[in-house]
Structures are given as C-alpha cells and as structure tokens.
Amino acid sequence: MRKILMGAGLLLFLLMVSGCVSVNASGTYLITGTRRKAIDADTVMLYAAFPKQYEIIGIVTATSTTGWTEQSKVDRAVAELKRQAAKIGANGVVVEDMGEINTGSVLIGNVAVVGNVYAPVTAQKVSGKAIYVAPETQAERQ
C-alpha cells in the first residue's frame, strides 16, 4: 500500500512539473469599438478604474494554469491580458474580474482501497476592458 501511495505521489509531482513546463497562458479578445494598430504589450497599463478620458476598444480575457504559486499564475495571466490588449491597439486595460477557475481534473492513479485518484486542475483568469487612453491623458495621470 505504501509503495502505491508513493507511486501516486511521484506521478502527481511529475504531472505538476510537466504541466508547468508544457502549458502556457492563453487569451482572447472581442472588439467592440475601433481597432487600432498593434503595439508592444510592455507599454499596456493596468487600471483599477476608468481614467477621465478613454475609448473602449474591446473586451480581453486571459487564463494561466502555469506557475509554482498562485501569484505566478496571476502574473502570467496578466501578461497574457496585456498581450491580447496590445494586439488590438489598446494601451490600457481596466481589470474587471480576476479569480481562480476549475478547468477539470487529472487522473493521478488508481489506489486499490479507494479506486481512481484525481487531482484538480485550476487556472487563474483575468478579464477587463481594453481601452485607448490619449497620451496627454496618460501624462496627466503621472
């Protein structure tokens, strides 16, 4: 019995490690306004609330299952959110929703006493409005 549990633990560890290496963040966008020329994702700013003057370009979402900690999953999801916004020319994102979602489960083994053993697979999801803020408005903010 002990060998089975150790084997299941090792299998779980290997699945977690391989999942952290092979799975990446993913995201989507939905254009609801006027699309602009794509920009560098590093220039996209995050906002907790809408600035004084802005134009909504669309809705962006991102998820990440990778990372050793929940914070690293959030960081990767936010980076993907910025990439999605940059694709449609938004230089800002107003974050509207953030949290953990269940994306399914992984069979990690079969233990004779209890049967199949599954581990939950979760992801961090972030979504918001992709916006364009005029450069002079951004300067006022600083």
Side-chain angles (χ1 to χ4, degrees), residues 2 16 18 27 35 40-41 51 55 63 74 80 85 105-106 110 113 133:
R2 187 172 184 195
M16 288 173 56
S18 67
R35 184 179 190 152
D40 182 7
E55 173 190 336
T63 58
V74 170
E80 180 61 27
S105 60
V106 175
N110 186 313
V113 177
V133 180

Side-chain angles (χ1 to χ4, degrees), residues 62-116:
T63 58
S64 175
T65 57
T66 60
W68 290 104
T69 65
E70 292 306 308
Q71 185 61 52
S72 63
K73 286 182 186 179
V74 170
D75 294 343
R76 290 176 190 221
V78 168
E80 180 61 27
L81 191 74
K82 288 181 168 187
R83 280 192 288 276
Q84 294 299 318
K87 286 180 186 179
I88 59 175
N91 60 4
V93 176
V94 180
V95 177
E96 294 182 319
D97 189 33
M98 186 174 89
E100 188 174 78
I101 59 172
N102 187 348
T103 59
S105 60
V106 175
L107 176 66
I108 59 170
N110 186 313
V111 179
V113 177
V114 292
N116 291 340

Side-chain angles (χ1 to χ4, degrees), residues 33-36 53-58 90 130-134:
T34 304
R35 184 179 190 152
R36 294 177 173 269
Q53 296 181 350
Y54 62 92
E55 173 190 336
I56 295 177
I57 296 178
I131 62 173
Y132 177 77
V133 180

Side-chain angles (χ1 to χ4, degrees), residues 29-53:
Y29 60 82
L30 174 65
I31 298 173
T32 59
T34 304
R35 184 179 190 152
R36 294 177 173 269
K37 183 181 173 189
I39 63 170
D40 182 7
D42 291 334
T43 63
V44 176
M45 307 260 313
L46 291 180
Y47 295 89
F50 287 98
K52 289 182 181 179
Q53 296 181 350

